[in-house]
Amino acid sequence: MWASGADVAKIATTATDISDCARVLTLLKTSQGPCIALCMGERGQPTRMLAAKYGGYLTFGALGGDKQSAPGQPTLHQLIHMYRLPDLTPNCQIFGVIGNPVSHSRSPQLHNAAMAATGIDAVYLPLLVDNLKKFLKTYSSADYGGFSVTIPHKLAALECADEVDLVAQQIGAVNTLVRQPGGSLKGYNTDWSAAITAIENGLQPDSHTTAESMPSQQQDESMSRHSSNSVSGPGAEEATMSGRVFNDGQGETQNGSVLKGRTVVVIGAGGAGKALAFGAAHKGAKVIIANRTVEKAEALAAQMQGGAQAISLDQLSSGEAKGDVLANTTSIGMHPQEDASPVSSSVLASFDLVFDAVYTPMDTRLLQDARAAGCKTVSGVEMFIGQAAEQFELFTGKEAPIDLMRQVVLTSLGQ
């Protein structure tokens, strides 16, 4: 294009897979002249958000959320204030949340604000991924420091990780991948401690029963803190859950948990369901796993140390299972299906507390029905903040600014 007299070369295509972005970003990086290159569509968003890092001449932003001139176009406000496009350097590290769907996630708001506040040269992106193995193979350079992993990739992340933390191995699900010094990826699970802490807080006699009751960043053990201003995720292993093996006697004992002796009914047998079920069992609770496909619930129950009971969702809705805590770990009730609930409201009165891992919306149909039935309720926001704070420390080696992260999430949810 430049040979034919162009001052600026522009190439725009549509990404059918997020791996398509890699070729476009390489084009920007190796360009011999001013170049605008981007992929349209949600799968192509990384090319827009990383244009500055890879030497792009410019990128495009919409004036508002309903004023996009092309699919997948972020707003100018997002590019400047959330993704900090003007501040990105060629050396900035890339993190992101892998999921499908992923547009609902508040992780980019939360992590980017935390990275800006702590002076870290990094950016955190939403990554719409169809094939996790293909994605990780494509984006394997040191530029990509780590990833949060959400539905439906937590089980695949376990298989794709080069190394897995012992707790995540026991749970059988990974929600965090961290790049190691040699380029490999190590998998962790930060879901279990965040969810269990939120539920334990909710069961305390003096606890609030509303979604605004946010947990402090308390874990089974204190985590090491680091003061370096550089990104040093692989060096942050002192702040990880390595060594927190279920039933090994380390950390808080079962006698110290309000869950000991209680019955916890977990809805869902996926990655988050596994984490919560194992965590509840670790705290001395009796666990019942309810899933639409009862065979998956039975498979998870068989993996549980000390055993667990498996039932179908129909059995739960018919009142065949009762307990102290009901915990939804599925995406039922998540935007855009806000009117859906995983269980009939008629059975909720038999539980003391109802927890919903869904946080968009913050006040789900399940939680509304639970309050109407007289139950304490715990929002998924509490689990979300807790697991993200631990991820941040794994990614960066720095103490998570928990108060800021909490405020960012609540503001993004209109609270």
Side-chain angles (χ1 to χ4, degrees), residues 190 193-194 197 201 214-225 239 244 382 385-394 398-403 405-406:
T190 67
S193 53
T197 297
N201 288 345
M214 296 295 150
S216 60
Q217 190 190 8
Q218 55 196 58
Q219 305 292 343
D220 286 349
E221 295 87 33
S222 61
M223 298 192 294
S224 298
R225 305 302 187 184
R244 297 192 205 171
E382 302 197 18
I385 294 172
Q387 61 83 30
E390 191 167 351
Q391 284 182 338
F392 180 87
E393 299 194 0
L394 286 166
K398 297 191 69 176
E399 181 177 357
I402 188 72
D403 291 336
M405 297 170 86
R406 179 183 297 115

Side-chain angles (χ1 to χ4, degrees), residues 90-149:
N91 295 322
C92 82
Q93 278 207 288
I94 303 164
F95 299 88
V97 54
I98 294 170
N100 193 345
V102 76
S103 61
H104 69 282
S105 177
R106 264 55 177 186
S107 291
Q109 290 99 312
L110 183 152
H111 281 281
N112 280 311
M115 288 172 178
T118 50
I120 295 173
D121 187 15
V123 65
Y124 186 102
L125 309 179
L127 303 166
L128 180 59
V129 173
D130 300 294
N131 183 312
L132 181 61
K133 185 175 182 180
K134 181 179 180 181
F135 170 84
L136 295 176
K137 182 178 180 179
T138 302
Y139 299 98
S140 59
S141 76
D143 276 354
Y144 297 87
F147 307 101
S148 309
V149 184

Side-chain angles (χ1 to χ4, degrees), residues 111 133 248 263 324 332 379:
H111 281 281
K133 185 175 182 180
D248 68 349
T263 297
D324 302 291
I332 299 173
S379 165

